[in-house]
Amino acid sequence: MPFPGGLWWLLCCRRGFTLLRRDYGEAEREADGEAEEEEEASFELRAQGDQGSLEVSLSQPTRSSSGSERSLLVAEEMRSLIVEKGPGPVEDDPDALVKGWLQREMRGCMKTPWIRPRKYWFVLTPDSLDYYSSNEKGARRLGSLVLTSLCSVLWPDKQLYKETGYWSVTVFGRKHCYRLYTEHLNEAVRWVCAVQKVIDSKAPVQTPTQLLIRDVEEHRDSPEILKQIYCCNPILRYTSGPLYAPLLPFPYGSLDQSAPGPRSYTTLRDEAVKLFNSLQQLESERDPVPLMQGVLQTCLDLPPLVDEIYCQLVKQTTEPPAPGGQGDLHYWQLLTCMSCTFLPSPPVLRFLRFHLDRTENRFPASEMAKYACFIREALGKTKGRECVPSLEEILVLMQRQEMICTVHCPGAPACSVAISSHTTAEEVAQELVSRLGLSQSPNLFALYEQSRRREQPVGSATLLADVLTRFENLAGEDREQDPPCRLCFKHYGFLDTDNVPRDSLEFALLFEQAHEMVLRGYVPTSEETLQTLAALRLQSLNSDFSTHAPFPRLEELFPPHVLHARLPPLPHRPPSKCRGARLRAGLLASGLWGQALAKQRAERDQRLRGRLREEGASTMAAIVEKWKLLQGMGRPEAMAAYVALVREWPGFGSTLFDVDLHASPVGSGPQRLWLGIGAKAVSLYKPGEPEPLDSFCYGRISSFGASDSSTFRLSVEDRDLLFETSQVNEIAQLLNTYLASAGAQRLPRRQEPPTSPPTSEPTVLPQGLCPGAGPWQHQPPVGSSHS
């Protein structure tokens, strides 16, 4: 049944008509839609050269305007930035930089490949990216994207080309995004480079907030002018309404979601608005700590938002409805946490300092003034953080107090140290060296992150607040599998172990560290000697043998790997190369045979555990018999005898690292070794062997450094040794420490020219402390030697 004439005409007018593949109705609706979707922002973006007067009042954002009013505003804005084209041919436009046919995505057509994208004539001018229905004379301009310094353009995506057969050119504007497509890569690259060149040529855009910050700084000594500025510009004051646009300019476009991190973010502008909503929730939040930590984490993930949050907090703490109330103090507490975590840019920092001075002058002796004083002092110490403050640190900062950090000392009671958000590991180590009376020791000490599975030194410049935050995160992620981490104070480098007094605290630290080396299997010796060492350990703990004395667990006295080595090795069946055999084995394993095999494995594991218990009982009996022979020996004598036995190994005093040596012969695999870093030489040991395979004094080492994140290179005379290890930083830092202690001179890296001529003065280290991580690439001076 044919449509009536009037209904057919209405349908054509509403859906558009196609003539020679020119889609007029769809394009007109799209152009009108672009105008209707434009919303009134909270400010008008201005170019740096067009400052104008700031006498006009800048009110809070509103959305009360109608669609026709918004379209009129958009049309006026576009006419003020783009020169109107005449009725002449589009191809004869003298301002055109690049022009050509491109296909634009229409209502998600690239997601439905059976719908062909529409083709338009695009013209790039110094001010905008326009597109027309055709390149003929009098063709109607269907849309325009104003280009400013905040616009961005994305390069063609190869993955999208594989999926659709088109190279994409994506241009982000303030409210719209043009997704353009072409079948030729050269054409896409030409458009991307041309658009980026236009964007780079634009003057930086400033928001009214930035202009007002500049005015406040210029008239900070004129109270009357400042009062007028704050009175006439509500954008600088507290607001209870929402914020529809950020206070500072941010580039248009989406964020790179390929960056590592558990969170996913939208655009910077949207995240800034979301953060302001989160700030407003602080006013009525009973427990604001988690929300504060979330805001800080977002700023850590998105550093450009740091200045924005500072400006938002200054805004919300300026002339609040209830100064000193709960909601106002929550803002000040978050500002305190921000000042201990992030440092704003210089203009925002000056504006923040002015706000703190103004608050102290207006509300002296108030809680706001106390927070302002604390924030000012914190800003002078903040250098940047690796982690956001922990929940405990936020609670402490809300009270403007210091945290109590517990540091464990082997052989001595744990020490409690008061730290702030700016305290480094070097400062705590220096305090402990002084408190424990180790200032005159020639050896080096450091703080360690310690758990049952791993142990690594803390860099001297590392903030302890970041270390405690990592401990809190690890405790929340993996509570059952690994015991909580802790800070430990112990020897870092042994320069002299022979002249340590036996009755000193340092000897107790040396004894405990030697015992740790024994338990980890880093002291290759006979099993008889290991049993004697375990008996001496019991004598130092419990004195003479007694049936009522507490017995530690065997793994706390004797290396566990020695017991496991006594067990028979598991039978190893090589995998079958026949596909049919593997298939039959897989089918059998998944059926009844699989249950039988699982039962056999469980029985075998039970027998191994029983055998391990038997071996442990016999070893403990032998240790107890040796313990009985030590009756009458005092604790100092037992500790001295223990250290003397361990010192018989030539590698005692060296720090051992598990490495894989890449052999030079072609076809030979890596060799598992111990790399011993000592005060006089670097040695290579085969695990379990007492004598080194090779040893190099520091005079033979020409250079060392990191080839990559997991490969350490050691150049010895005419050969290079490559070690595969996960402790590249620790090895390089320890080598630098020993070289500096021996009086060697540090030089710049190989690839960087020296900034000053070398001097003959050795590097001076603080007494009793390990230095910070030095440069990875190191080359001793010519003619230097280290015994």
Side-chain angles (χ1 to χ4, degrees), residues 406-425:
T406 301
V407 181
H408 298 268
C409 302
C415 300
S416 298
V417 183
I419 63 172
S420 67
S421 301
H422 319 284
T423 304
T424 63

mmCIF file with all atom_site columns, all heavy atoms in Angstrom, residues 406-425:
data_model
loop_
_atom_site.group_PDB
_atom_site.id
_atom_site.type_symbol
_atom_site.label_atom_id
_atom_site.label_alt_id
_atom_site.label_comp_id
_atom_site.label_asym_id
_atom_site.label_entity_id
_atom_site.label_seq_id
_atom_site.pdbx_PDB_ins_code
_atom_site.Cartn_x
_atom_site.Cartn_y
_atom_site.Cartn_z
_atom_site.occupancy
_atom_site.B_iso_or_equiv
_atom_site.pdbx_formal_charge
_atom_site.auth_seq_id
_atom_site.auth_comp_id
_atom_site.auth_asym_id
_atom_site.auth_atom_id
_atom_site.pdbx_PDB_model_num
ATOM 1   N N   . THR A 1 406 ? 58.216 1.667  64.766 1.00 0.00 ? 406 THR A N   1
ATOM 2   C CA  . THR A 1 406 ? 58.941 0.649  65.517 1.00 0.00 ? 406 THR A CA  1
ATOM 3   C C   . THR A 1 406 ? 60.014 0.032  64.628 1.00 0.00 ? 406 THR A C   1
ATOM 4   O O   . THR A 1 406 ? 59.711 -0.468 63.538 1.00 0.00 ? 406 THR A O   1
ATOM 5   C CB  . THR A 1 406 ? 57.989 -0.445 66.016 1.00 0.00 ? 406 THR A CB  1
ATOM 6   O OG1 . THR A 1 406 ? 56.979 0.154  66.850 1.00 0.00 ? 406 THR A OG1 1
ATOM 7   C CG2 . THR A 1 406 ? 58.743 -1.487 66.818 1.00 0.00 ? 406 THR A CG2 1
ATOM 8   N N   . VAL A 1 407 ? 61.256 0.070  65.103 1.00 0.00 ? 407 VAL A N   1
ATOM 9   C CA  . VAL A 1 407 ? 62.396 -0.502 64.380 1.00 0.00 ? 407 VAL A CA  1
ATOM 10  C C   . VAL A 1 407 ? 62.966 -1.627 65.229 1.00 0.00 ? 407 VAL A C   1
ATOM 11  O O   . VAL A 1 407 ? 63.328 -1.419 66.393 1.00 0.00 ? 407 VAL A O   1
ATOM 12  C CB  . VAL A 1 407 ? 63.472 0.563  64.094 1.00 0.00 ? 407 VAL A CB  1
ATOM 13  C CG1 . VAL A 1 407 ? 64.629 -0.045 63.316 1.00 0.00 ? 407 VAL A CG1 1
ATOM 14  C CG2 . VAL A 1 407 ? 62.879 1.730  63.328 1.00 0.00 ? 407 VAL A CG2 1
ATOM 15  N N   . HIS A 1 408 ? 63.047 -2.821 64.663 1.00 0.00 ? 408 HIS A N   1
ATOM 16  C CA  . HIS A 1 408 ? 63.549 -3.986 65.379 1.00 0.00 ? 408 HIS A CA  1
ATOM 17  C C   . HIS A 1 408 ? 65.063 -4.074 65.222 1.00 0.00 ? 408 HIS A C   1
ATOM 18  O O   . HIS A 1 408 ? 65.610 -3.884 64.131 1.00 0.00 ? 408 HIS A O   1
ATOM 19  C CB  . HIS A 1 408 ? 62.888 -5.257 64.843 1.00 0.00 ? 408 HIS A CB  1
ATOM 20  C CG  . HIS A 1 408 ? 61.402 -5.283 65.029 1.00 0.00 ? 408 HIS A CG  1
ATOM 21  N ND1 . HIS A 1 408 ? 60.792 -5.828 66.131 1.00 0.00 ? 408 HIS A ND1 1
ATOM 22  C CD2 . HIS A 1 408 ? 60.399 -4.802 64.242 1.00 0.00 ? 408 HIS A CD2 1
ATOM 23  C CE1 . HIS A 1 408 ? 59.487 -5.710 66.025 1.00 0.00 ? 408 HIS A CE1 1
ATOM 24  N NE2 . HIS A 1 408 ? 59.217 -5.083 64.882 1.00 0.00 ? 408 HIS A NE2 1
ATOM 25  N N   . CYS A 1 409 ? 65.731 -4.379 66.316 1.00 0.00 ? 409 CYS A N   1
ATOM 26  C CA  . CYS A 1 409 ? 67.187 -4.514 66.336 1.00 0.00 ? 409 CYS A CA  1
ATOM 27  C C   . CYS A 1 409 ? 67.538 -5.925 66.792 1.00 0.00 ? 409 CYS A C   1
ATOM 28  O O   . CYS A 1 409 ? 67.188 -6.313 67.922 1.00 0.00 ? 409 CYS A O   1
ATOM 29  C CB  . CYS A 1 409 ? 67.821 -3.487 67.282 1.00 0.00 ? 409 CYS A CB  1
ATOM 30  S SG  . CYS A 1 409 ? 67.430 -1.769 66.889 1.00 0.00 ? 409 CYS A SG  1
ATOM 31  N N   . PRO A 1 410 ? 68.190 -6.736 65.974 1.00 0.00 ? 410 PRO A N   1
ATOM 32  C CA  . PRO A 1 410 ? 68.567 -8.093 66.400 1.00 0.00 ? 410 PRO A CA  1
ATOM 33  C C   . PRO A 1 410 ? 69.493 -8.058 67.618 1.00 0.00 ? 410 PRO A C   1
ATOM 34  O O   . PRO A 1 410 ? 70.480 -7.335 67.642 1.00 0.00 ? 410 PRO A O   1
ATOM 35  C CB  . PRO A 1 410 ? 69.298 -8.659 65.180 1.00 0.00 ? 410 PRO A CB  1
ATOM 36  C CG  . PRO A 1 410 ? 68.823 -7.832 64.033 1.00 0.00 ? 410 PRO A CG  1
ATOM 37  C CD  . PRO A 1 410 ? 68.581 -6.471 64.590 1.00 0.00 ? 410 PRO A CD  1
ATOM 38  N N   . GLY A 1 411 ? 69.134 -8.811 68.634 1.00 0.00 ? 411 GLY A N   1
ATOM 39  C CA  . GLY A 1 411 ? 69.946 -8.844 69.846 1.00 0.00 ? 411 GLY A CA  1
ATOM 40  C C   . GLY A 1 411 ? 69.698 -7.695 70.795 1.00 0.00 ? 411 GLY A C   1
ATOM 41  O O   . GLY A 1 411 ? 70.406 -7.568 71.792 1.00 0.00 ? 411 GLY A O   1
ATOM 42  N N   . ALA A 1 412 ? 68.723 -6.844 70.493 1.00 0.00 ? 412 ALA A N   1
ATOM 43  C CA  . ALA A 1 412 ? 68.427 -5.689 71.345 1.00 0.00 ? 412 ALA A CA  1
ATOM 44  C C   . ALA A 1 412 ? 66.932 -5.438 71.297 1.00 0.00 ? 412 ALA A C   1
ATOM 45  O O   . ALA A 1 412 ? 66.244 -5.865 70.360 1.00 0.00 ? 412 ALA A O   1
ATOM 46  C CB  . ALA A 1 412 ? 69.205 -4.460 70.888 1.00 0.00 ? 412 ALA A CB  1
ATOM 47  N N   . PRO A 1 413 ? 66.384 -4.748 72.297 1.00 0.00 ? 413 PRO A N   1
ATOM 48  C CA  . PRO A 1 413 ? 64.951 -4.442 72.262 1.00 0.00 ? 413 PRO A CA  1
ATOM 49  C C   . PRO A 1 413 ? 64.604 -3.555 71.068 1.00 0.00 ? 413 PRO A C   1
ATOM 50  O O   . PRO A 1 413 ? 65.437 -2.805 70.552 1.00 0.00 ? 413 PRO A O   1
ATOM 51  C CB  . PRO A 1 413 ? 64.717 -3.722 73.604 1.00 0.00 ? 413 PRO A CB  1
ATOM 52  C CG  . PRO A 1 413 ? 65.869 -4.111 74.468 1.00 0.00 ? 413 PRO A CG  1
ATOM 53  C CD  . PRO A 1 413 ? 67.027 -4.302 73.538 1.00 0.00 ? 413 PRO A CD  1
ATOM 54  N N   . ALA A 1 414 ? 63.354 -3.646 70.624 1.00 0.00 ? 414 ALA A N   1
ATOM 55  C CA  . ALA A 1 414 ? 62.885 -2.805 69.527 1.00 0.00 ? 414 ALA A CA  1
ATOM 56  C C   . ALA A 1 414 ? 62.875 -1.345 69.956 1.00 0.00 ? 414 ALA A C   1
ATOM 57  O O   . ALA A 1 414 ? 62.608 -1.017 71.116 1.00 0.00 ? 414 ALA A O   1
ATOM 58  C CB  . ALA A 1 414 ? 61.489 -3.246 69.095 1.00 0.00 ? 414 ALA A CB  1
ATOM 59  N N   . CYS A 1 415 ? 63.173 -0.470 69.023 1.00 0.00 ? 415 CYS A N   1
ATOM 60  C CA  . CYS A 1 415 ? 63.252 0.962  69.288 1.00 0.00 ? 415 CYS A CA  1
ATOM 61  C C   . CYS A 1 415 ? 62.043 1.658  68.668 1.00 0.00 ? 415 CYS A C   1
ATOM 62  O O   . CYS A 1 415 ? 61.656 1.351  67.536 1.00 0.00 ? 415 CYS A O   1
ATOM 63  C CB  . CYS A 1 415 ? 64.532 1.559  68.715 1.00 0.00 ? 415 CYS A CB  1
ATOM 64  S SG  . CYS A 1 415 ? 66.048 0.851  69.382 1.00 0.00 ? 415 CYS A SG  1
ATOM 65  N N   . SER A 1 416 ? 61.456 2.578  69.399 1.00 0.00 ? 416 SER A N   1
ATOM 66  C CA  . SER A 1 416 ? 60.354 3.402  68.901 1.00 0.00 ? 416 SER A CA  1
ATOM 67  C C   . SER A 1 416 ? 60.910 4.764  68.526 1.00 0.00 ? 416 SER A C   1
ATOM 68  O O   . SER A 1 416 ? 61.537 5.436  69.348 1.00 0.00 ? 416 SER A O   1
ATOM 69  C CB  . SER A 1 416 ? 59.252 3.537  69.952 1.00 0.00 ? 416 SER A CB  1
ATOM 70  O OG  . SER A 1 416 ? 58.702 2.269  70.267 1.00 0.00 ? 416 SER A OG  1
ATOM 71  N N   . VAL A 1 417 ? 60.663 5.171  67.303 1.00 0.00 ? 417 VAL A N   1
ATOM 72  C CA  . VAL A 1 417 ? 61.192 6.426  66.779 1.00 0.00 ? 417 VAL A CA  1
ATOM 73  C C   . VAL A 1 417 ? 60.025 7.261  66.280 1.00 0.00 ? 417 VAL A C   1
ATOM 74  O O   . VAL A 1 417 ? 59.164 6.760  65.541 1.00 0.00 ? 417 VAL A O   1
ATOM 75  C CB  . VAL A 1 417 ? 62.203 6.186  65.643 1.00 0.00 ? 417 VAL A CB  1
ATOM 76  C CG1 . VAL A 1 417 ? 62.797 7.492  65.164 1.00 0.00 ? 417 VAL A CG1 1
ATOM 77  C CG2 . VAL A 1 417 ? 63.301 5.230  66.104 1.00 0.00 ? 417 VAL A CG2 1
ATOM 78  N N   . ALA A 1 418 ? 59.987 8.518  66.679 1.00 0.00 ? 418 ALA A N   1
ATOM 79  C CA  . ALA A 1 418 ? 58.962 9.443  66.200 1.00 0.00 ? 418 ALA A CA  1
ATOM 80  C C   . ALA A 1 418 ? 59.377 9.978  64.836 1.00 0.00 ? 418 ALA A C   1
ATOM 81  O O   . ALA A 1 418 ? 60.476 10.515 64.678 1.00 0.00 ? 418 ALA A O   1
ATOM 82  C CB  . ALA A 1 418 ? 58.774 10.588 67.193 1.00 0.00 ? 418 ALA A CB  1
ATOM 83  N N   . ILE A 1 419 ? 58.501 9.835  63.850 1.00 0.00 ? 419 ILE A N   1
ATOM 84  C CA  . ILE A 1 419 ? 58.805 10.289 62.496 1.00 0.00 ? 419 ILE A CA  1
ATOM 85  C C   . ILE A 1 419 ? 57.652 11.149 61.986 1.00 0.00 ? 419 ILE A C   1
ATOM 86  O O   . ILE A 1 419 ? 56.521 11.084 62.490 1.00 0.00 ? 419 ILE A O   1
ATOM 87  C CB  . ILE A 1 419 ? 59.033 9.107  61.530 1.00 0.00 ? 419 ILE A CB  1
ATOM 88  C CG1 . ILE A 1 419 ? 57.756 8.272  61.401 1.00 0.00 ? 419 ILE A CG1 1
ATOM 89  C CG2 . ILE A 1 419 ? 60.193 8.248  61.988 1.00 0.00 ? 419 ILE A CG2 1
ATOM 90  C CD1 . ILE A 1 419 ? 57.823 7.205  60.335 1.00 0.00 ? 419 ILE A CD1 1
ATOM 91  N N   . SER A 1 420 ? 57.948 11.947 60.982 1.00 0.00 ? 420 SER A N   1
ATOM 92  C CA  . SER A 1 420 ? 56.943 12.744 60.297 1.00 0.00 ? 420 SER A CA  1
ATOM 93  C C   . SER A 1 420 ? 56.805 12.246 58.868 1.00 0.00 ? 420 SER A C   1
ATOM 94  O O   . SER A 1 420 ? 57.424 11.249 58.483 1.00 0.00 ? 420 SER A O   1
ATOM 95  C CB  . SER A 1 420 ? 57.331 14.228 60.318 1.00 0.00 ? 420 SER A CB  1
ATOM 96  O OG  . SER A 1 420 ? 58.502 14.443 59.542 1.00 0.00 ? 420 SER A OG  1
ATOM 97  N N   . SER A 1 421 ? 56.016 12.930 58.076 1.00 0.00 ? 421 SER A N   1
ATOM 98  C CA  . SER A 1 421 ? 55.846 12.536 56.682 1.00 0.00 ? 421 SER A CA  1
ATOM 99  C C   . SER A 1 421 ? 57.085 12.803 55.848 1.00 0.00 ? 421 SER A C   1
ATOM 100 O O   . SER A 1 421 ? 57.145 12.365 54.693 1.00 0.00 ? 421 SER A O   1
ATOM 101 C CB  . SER A 1 421 ? 54.648 13.281 56.074 1.00 0.00 ? 421 SER A CB  1
ATOM 102 O OG  . SER A 1 421 ? 53.459 12.996 56.783 1.00 0.00 ? 421 SER A OG  1
ATOM 103 N N   . HIS A 1 422 ? 58.066 13.518 56.404 1.00 0.00 ? 422 HIS A N   1
ATOM 104 C CA  . HIS A 1 422 ? 59.251 13.901 55.645 1.00 0.00 ? 422 HIS A CA  1
ATOM 105 C C   . HIS A 1 422 ? 60.522 13.229 56.170 1.00 0.00 ? 422 HIS A C   1
ATOM 106 O O   . HIS A 1 422 ? 61.611 13.520 55.692 1.00 0.00 ? 422 HIS A O   1
ATOM 107 C CB  . HIS A 1 422 ? 59.434 15.419 55.688 1.00 0.00 ? 422 HIS A CB  1
ATOM 108 C CG  . HIS A 1 422 ? 58.155 16.176 55.548 1.00 0.00 ? 422 HIS A CG  1
ATOM 109 N ND1 . HIS A 1 422 ? 57.499 16.323 54.348 1.00 0.00 ? 422 HIS A ND1 1
ATOM 110 C CD2 . HIS A 1 422 ? 57.380 16.824 56.469 1.00 0.00 ? 422 HIS A CD2 1
ATOM 111 C CE1 . HIS A 1 422 ? 56.394 17.028 54.524 1.00 0.00 ? 422 HIS A CE1 1
ATOM 112 N NE2 . HIS A 1 422 ? 56.297 17.339 55.795 1.00 0.00 ? 422 HIS A NE2 1
ATOM 113 N N   . THR A 1 423 ? 60.411 12.343 57.157 1.00 0.00 ? 423 THR A N   1
ATOM 114 C CA  . THR A 1 423 ? 61.579 11.701 57.743 1.00 0.00 ? 423 THR A CA  1
ATOM 115 C C   . THR A 1 423 ? 62.126 10.637 56.797 1.00 0.00 ? 423 THR A C   1
ATOM 116 O O   . THR A 1 423 ? 61.377 9.798  56.295 1.00 0.00 ? 423 THR A O   1
ATOM 117 C CB  . THR A 1 423 ? 61.216 11.063 59.092 1.00 0.00 ? 423 THR A CB  1
ATOM 118 O OG1 . THR A 1 423 ? 60.655 12.062 59.944 1.00 0.00 ? 423 THR A OG1 1
ATOM 119 C CG2 . THR A 1 423 ? 62.453 10.489 59.757 1.00 0.00 ? 423 THR A CG2 1
ATOM 120 N N   . THR A 1 424 ? 63.422 10.655 56.556 1.00 0.00 ? 424 THR A N   1
ATOM 121 C CA  . THR A 1 424 ? 64.067 9.688  55.663 1.00 0.00 ? 424 THR A CA  1
ATOM 122 C C   . THR A 1 424 ? 64.695 8.557  56.472 1.00 0.00 ? 424 THR A C   1
ATOM 123 O O   . THR A 1 424 ? 64.891 8.661  57.688 1.00 0.00 ? 424 THR A O   1
ATOM 124 C CB  . THR A 1 424 ? 65.141 10.375 54.814 1.00 0.00 ? 424 THR A CB  1
ATOM 125 O OG1 . THR A 1 424 ? 66.169 10.885 55.681 1.00 0.00 ? 424 THR A OG1 1
ATOM 126 C CG2 . THR A 1 424 ? 64.547 11.514 54.010 1.00 0.00 ? 424 THR A CG2 1
ATOM 127 N N   . ALA A 1 425 ? 65.039 7.493  55.775 1.00 0.00 ? 425 ALA A N   1
ATOM 128 C CA  . ALA A 1 425 ? 65.684 6.347  56.426 1.00 0.00 ? 425 ALA A CA  1
ATOM 129 C C   . ALA A 1 425 ? 67.051 6.729  56.962 1.00 0.00 ? 425 ALA A C   1
ATOM 130 O O   . ALA A 1 425 ? 67.487 6.208  58.002 1.00 0.00 ? 425 ALA A O   1
ATOM 131 C CB  . ALA A 1 425 ? 65.808 5.187  55.432 1.00 0.00 ? 425 ALA A CB  1
#
